Amino acid sequence: MARIEVGILGATGMVGQQFIALLANHPWFKVTWLGASQRSEGKAYAEATAWRLAAALPEDVSKMVVETAAPGNAPKVMFSGLDSSVAGDIEKAFAGAGHLVISNSKNYRMDSTVPLMIPEINGDHLKLLDRQQSERGWKGRIVTNPNCSVIALTLALAPLRQFGLRTAMVTTLQAISGAGYPGVASWDILGNVIPFIDGEEDKFQPETQKILGRVVNGAIEGHPVVVSATATRVPVRDGHTVSTSVQLEQKVTPDAIIDAFNCFRGRPQELQLPSAPPQPVVYLADRNRPQPALDVNRGGGMTVSVGRLRACPVLDYKFVALGHNTIRGAAGAAILNAELMREEGLL
Ligand SMILES: NC(=O)c1ccc[n+]([C@@H]2O[C@H](COP(=O)([O-])OP(=O)(O)OC[C@H]3O[C@@H](n4cnc5c(N)ncnc54)[C@H](OP(=O)(O)O)[C@@H]3O)[C@@H](O)[C@H]2O)c1
């Protein structure tokens, strides 16, 4: 089978690099086009990027010339890791020109015609695309994945919906790779915790409600969960930790919750998509887990690790979840979206 040609917008950034690493040996997709800013345009990729991944930069990609981030000779399927200050206009231009844009940026996540997808939870939200062309006038499409911490949180909350999920109180400990490259100055982050990430906390409730929501008459009816979040930046390289307390309508035992985490599966597992982890959520019984240094790469970085389930004297239960922010929280999430869309005949 011939592989589908794909392009990467924002190819030189942290998320762009992760796209290149994850797509290097992908069975269905082949990277044939790279786009970034004027700073990178016209340069060989190896020269334009500050490669920061442990995986080697693939030889063929290293020699590719970075293009202007504008539609023209780019392939139909585009992954985007663009800075959000420019993603709005550039992604719209690509969608307008007939491309399918699968984006990590915040710009279109809350658009009522744009799926905000985690395929294990809400692959049926692809139905929103039926309205996109007529309401937005784009010849192409935009599909998004959620904020990196929201993905880890929501994968841990989705198995709890069956118990009547009402409230989640969340504090995040977010890795520096989440701030892009060069990101936070070493002077500011070494030996420190920064209790503020601009614009981050406001995403938690609306994105979680949309992701966990249902499609009713072609629109999303949001899940009623109330989410309160505090976002912090910590001196960790990769992996966002999310300390969470939840309130549930039903009385439920800890064993039932642990079972719900471990048994949670979705369409990607059913279809055995190439990037699907066998188990999207794994509960770790050791009382000092999950830890970014030990657990962030579980399931190729696509599994969310959960631990420390215990009673909460304020709400009902509390636990700690950990997800790889540039894999499950970004590039891997977008690739899984594309894989599901291929299986649904939407590529
Ligand atoms: N890092 C994460 O963990 C994470 C997780 C989820 C979502 N996201 C989202 O993903 C996106 C990328 O994040 P990142 O961490 O990879 O950021 P980053 O390292 O700062 O990379 C930003 C990318 O955008 C490109 N860019 C900047 N200005 C441009 C312009 N005017 N025209 C075209 N391209 C331009 C940059 O190209 P140059 O190199 O040429 O400047 C670079 O390729 C952001 O929207 C972010 O919020 C990030």
Side-chain angles (χ1 to χ4, degrees), residues 9-17 35-41 48-49 66 68-69 80-87 90 103-107 109 145-149 151 175-183 203 240 324-327 329-331:
L9 288 162
T12 49
M14 284 315 307
V15 173
Q17 291 181 16
S37 78
Q38 285 178 342
R39 289 179 288 277
S40 307
E41 186 190 325
T49 195
V66 179
T68 317
S80 172
L82 283 170
D83 190 271
S84 59
S85 62
V86 295
I90 296 174
S103 173
N104 280 281
S105 284
K106 66 179 182 185
N107 309 64
R109 285 182 192 149
N145 50 259
N147 167 273
C148 37
S149 292
I151 293 181
I176 51 174
S177 59
Y181 188 80
K203 297 171 186 161
H240 289 354
H324 196 305
N325 51 295
T326 61
I327 300 182

Side-chain angles (χ1 to χ4, degrees), residues 106-118:
K106 66 179 182 185
N107 309 64
Y108 294 101
R109 285 182 192 149
M110 297 310 296
D111 184 300
S112 62
T113 68
V114 173
L116 181 59
M117 284 226 303
I118 299 179

Side-chain angles (χ1 to χ4, degrees), residues 38-291:
Q38 285 178 342
R39 289 179 288 277
S40 307
E41 186 190 325
K43 293 181 184 162
Y45 182 73
E47 190 195 338
T49 195
W51 187 259
R52 283 294 174 278
L53 300 185
L57 169 55
E59 183 75 19
D60 54 340
V61 175
S62 72
K63 296 179 189 140
M64 285 170 66
V65 174
V66 179
E67 313 250 355
T68 317
N73 62 348
K76 181 174 172 235
V77 179
M78 299 296 299
F79 291 109
S80 172
L82 283 170
D83 190 271
S84 59
S85 62
V86 295
D89 288 343
I90 296 174
E91 292 176 359
K92 186 160 69 173
F94 273 83
H99 297 266
L100 165 64
V101 182
I102 304 175
S103 173
N104 280 281
S105 284
K106 66 179 182 185
N107 309 64
Y108 294 101
R109 285 182 192 149
M110 297 310 296
D111 184 300
S112 62
T113 68
V114 173
L116 181 59
M117 284 226 303
I118 299 179
E120 281 89 347
I121 301 176
N122 64 3
D124 61 318
H125 288 199
L126 284 169
K127 285 183 205 140
L128 296 182
L129 292 176
D130 296 346
R131 290 171 37 216
Q132 206 177 83
Q133 219 155 15
S134 61
E135 293 186 25
R136 297 290 170 267
W138 302 329
K139 279 189 272 168
R141 302 270 192 276
I142 297 179
V143 169
T144 58
N145 50 259
N147 167 273
C148 37
S149 292
V150 172
I151 293 181
L153 171 70
T154 315
L155 275 164
L157 293 182
L160 309 183
R161 279 181 299 187
Q162 60 185 303
F163 306 125
L165 176 66
R166 289 174 102 159
T167 306
M169 292 275 294
V170 177
T171 300
T172 68
L173 299 88
Q174 302 189 201
I176 51 174
S177 59
Y181 188 80
V184 192
S186 55
W187 178 264
D188 294 333
I189 195 67
L190 276 175
N192 200 14
V193 173
I194 301 172
F196 175 69
I197 302 175
D198 200 7
E200 196 79 351
E201 293 169 0
D202 297 342
K203 297 171 186 161
F204 279 78
Q205 175 158 306
E207 290 194 17
T208 304
Q209 290 183 343
K210 181 170 178 180
I211 298 158
L212 296 179
R214 300 182 305 146
V215 183
V216 179
N217 297 328
I220 300 293
E221 183 182 277
H223 189 281
V225 64
V226 177
V227 186
S228 169
T230 300
T232 78
R233 185 78 66 198
V234 296
V236 163
R237 204 168 163 135
D238 291 310
H240 289 354
T241 300
V242 187
S243 171
T244 308
S245 292
V246 290
Q247 183 181 36
L248 305 170
E249 277 161 21
Q250 294 175 25
K251 288 270 168 262
V252 57
T253 64
D255 282 349
I257 293 183
I258 290 170
D259 263 8
F261 287 139
N262 283 330
C263 295
F264 180 70
R265 300 287 186 280
R267 290 271 289 151
Q269 287 69 39
E270 198 183 299
L271 296 168
Q272 298 188 343
L273 299 178
S275 302
Q279 203 176 322
V281 182
V282 168
Y283 185 79
L284 304 175
D286 283 1
R287 63 186 184 177
N288 63 359
R289 306 288 277 277
Q291 296 178 25

